[in-house]
């Protein structure tokens, strides 16, 4: 059995194809949250054709569609892990540093190629950082000042904290930026690479966590495994979220893997993909987010009172 979550502003569940597709799936119960707005179809049988049609209709309305285990609870998780650049924040920080250094276009191209998985992340990162050689430490401050937090990130971190979830940044970026972002969002900590500085300038070198191997896709997955073990949990109790090819290993290893506005290679292989909403959509995956939701009457469900029947999503 599955629960299906739909979230998007241009959905009308009372009329037309969406109403018909939901009714055809015969969910045990349908819940509605007006604040997003969103629907949760509880207790849906696995019907590949019907689910694919509903997913396609949701996409037609630029709404997000998720299939999760029936009754999925936040209590089944111990830790959330997030990429930083283009996930927790809207920026690619090394691109911002490159803009201050006058080599934006070349670095931006290389960043895109790395995130699309066209060549090894560690080699790509080393070449990008090498272009910053000799730049003053102030280019890091320039990147920090331009940070834009992704919509929904603060709300997601508060939800996690209320439910006792530890949250970490696991990033191929740099400690000079990941630690302040983790602190700003009230997260547990951050694991990331380190820029090498000498006499107040970047040397053009980058090291991995604690001066070790550069944190790439394999390193991110291993970091998630180690941190989860330290919490006395298993990888099935971890949620991982990111957008680039170097996030794919941790996304696939986690009990719940989420691609966020991700590159095509990541969207294709992740269990769940947020294409339109902000990070707050992750909250909706868990049944605890629906405690105050309104029951909606659909054929075969019969769960709603007449007072709640026929509520619109727009």
């Amino acid at each position: 059995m599955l629960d299906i979550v739909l979230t998007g502003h241009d959905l009308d569940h009372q009329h037309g194809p969406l109403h018909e597709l939901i009714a055809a799936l015969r969910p045990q119960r349908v819940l509605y949250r007006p604040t997003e707005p969103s629907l949760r179809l509880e207790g849906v049988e696995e019907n590949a054709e019907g689910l694919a049609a509903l997913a396609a209709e949701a996409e037609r309305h630029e709404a997000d569609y998720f299939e999760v285990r029936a009754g999925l609870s936040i209590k089944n998780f111990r830790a959330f892990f997030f990429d930083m650049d283009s996930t927790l924040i809207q920026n690619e920080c090394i691109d911002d540093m490159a803009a201050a250094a006058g080599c934006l276009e070349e670095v931006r191209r290389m960043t895109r190629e790395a995130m699309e998985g066209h060549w090894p992340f560690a080699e790509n990162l080393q070449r990008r950082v090498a272009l910053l050689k000799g730049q003053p430490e102030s280019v890091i401050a320039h990147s920090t000042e331009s940070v834009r937090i992704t919509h929904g990130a603060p709300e997601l971190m508060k939800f996690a904290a209320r439910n006792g979830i530890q949250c970490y940044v696991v990033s191929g970026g740099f400690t000079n930026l990941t630690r302040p972002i983790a602190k700003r969002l009230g997260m547990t900590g951050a694991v990331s690479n380190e820029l090498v500085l000498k006499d107040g300038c970047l040397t053009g070198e980058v090291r991995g966590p604690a001066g070790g191997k550069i944190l790439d896709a394999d390193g991110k997955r291993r970091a998630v495994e180690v941190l989860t073990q330290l919490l006395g949990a298993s990888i099935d109790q971890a949620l991982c979220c990111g957008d680039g090819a170097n996030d794919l290993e941790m996304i696939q290893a986690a009990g719940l893997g989420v691609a966020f506005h991700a590159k095509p290679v990541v969207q294709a292989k992740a269990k769940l993909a947020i294409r339109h909403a902000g990070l707050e959509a992750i909250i909706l995956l868990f049944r605890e987010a629906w405690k105050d939701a309104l029951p909606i009457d659909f054929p075969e469900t019969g769960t709603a009172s007449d007072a709640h029947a026929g509520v619109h999503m727009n």
Side-chain angles (χ1 to χ4, degrees):
M1 298 289 281
L2 299 172
D3 286 356
I4 307 299
V5 176
L6 299 167
T7 181
H9 290 279
D10 186 28
L11 290 175
D12 180 0
H13 65 269
Q14 190 179 18
H15 304 100
L18 185 68
H19 177 90
E20 295 171 6
L21 289 166
I22 292 174
L25 289 171
R26 302 176 63 182
Q28 293 177 356
R29 186 167 70 154
V30 179
L31 298 175
Y32 167 65
R33 280 175 55 101
T35 50
E36 277 73 27
S38 306
L39 287 171
R40 188 181 189 101
L41 285 56
E42 295 187 333
V44 176
E45 296 283 352
E46 296 193 36
N47 173 343
E49 184 177 348
L51 294 173
L54 182 59
E57 181 65 16
E59 183 60 29
R60 192 171 74 84
H61 291 279
E62 296 187 346
D64 283 304
Y65 168 95
F66 310 106
E67 296 177 11
V68 297
R69 186 173 68 249
L72 185 69
S73 172
I74 191 72
K75 293 181 174 60
N76 299 131
F77 293 82
R78 294 289 302 279
F80 290 175
F81 300 91
F82 298 90
D83 174 49
M84 185 178 77
D85 295 41
S86 297
T87 301
L88 284 177
I89 64 175
Q90 298 176 44
N91 311 58
E92 286 287 341
C93 288
I94 194 168
D95 291 2
D96 294 338
M97 287 188 277
C103 54
L104 174 60
E105 291 309 313
E106 186 172 3
V107 169
R108 177 181 285 167
R109 174 184 57 79
M110 295 171 71
T111 299
R112 183 180 66 254
E113 291 172 352
M115 294 304 99
E116 292 175 350
H118 293 311
W119 54 328
F121 178 82
E123 178 187 352
N124 182 288
L125 182 64
Q126 288 171 320
R127 292 193 183 187
R128 282 182 285 162
V129 173
L131 294 172
L132 302 176
K133 182 177 180 179
Q135 292 297 317
E137 190 174 358
S138 59
V139 299
I140 301 173
H142 171 79
S143 182
T144 304
E145 291 165 2
S146 65
V147 160
R148 304 182 305 280
I149 300 294
T150 296
H151 185 274
E155 292 79 7
L156 175 56
M157 299 310 152
K158 290 174 184 176
F159 174 79
R162 287 197 302 269
N163 287 280
I165 302 295
Q166 305 294 304
C167 291
Y168 294 88
V169 177
V170 180
S171 170
F174 314 113
T175 54
N176 317 67
L177 299 156
T178 58
R179 288 173 179 170
I181 293 300
K183 183 177 180 180
R184 180 173 169 180
L185 289 171
M187 300 173 73
T188 309
V191 180
S192 55
N193 296 311
E194 301 176 349
L195 290 169
V196 180
L197 295 163
K198 184 177 181 181
D199 299 327
C201 294
L202 278 70
T203 67
E205 300 169 289
V206 58
R207 300 179 299 204
K213 184 179 177 182
I214 288 176
L215 199 69
D216 56 7
D218 176 72
K220 283 190 167 191
R221 190 200 76 249
R222 295 287 292 164
V224 168
E225 291 169 348
V226 170
L227 289 169
T228 304
Q229 184 186 56
L230 288 174
L231 295 172
S234 72
I235 196 70
D236 289 340
Q237 295 172 288
L239 177 149
C240 291
C241 178
D243 74 297
N246 65 324
D247 300 313
L248 193 50
E249 286 196 29
M250 71 173 188
I251 287 173
Q252 291 183 306
L256 203 59
V258 182
F260 181 73
H261 293 246
K263 304 301 181 288
V265 65
V266 184
Q267 287 195 26
K269 296 182 179 181
K271 298 168 186 174
L272 302 171
I274 300 173
R275 294 179 172 86
H276 306 288
L279 285 171
E280 75 284 352
I282 290 176
I283 299 172
L284 299 174
L285 302 178
F286 303 104
R287 69 186 187 197
E288 286 81 4
W290 298 81
K291 290 180 179 178
D292 300 324
L294 302 174
I296 304 299
D297 195 15
F298 267 83
E300 307 296 339
T301 63
T303 56
S305 68
D306 291 341
H308 288 152
V311 179
H312 283 277
M313 290 191 72
N314 52 359

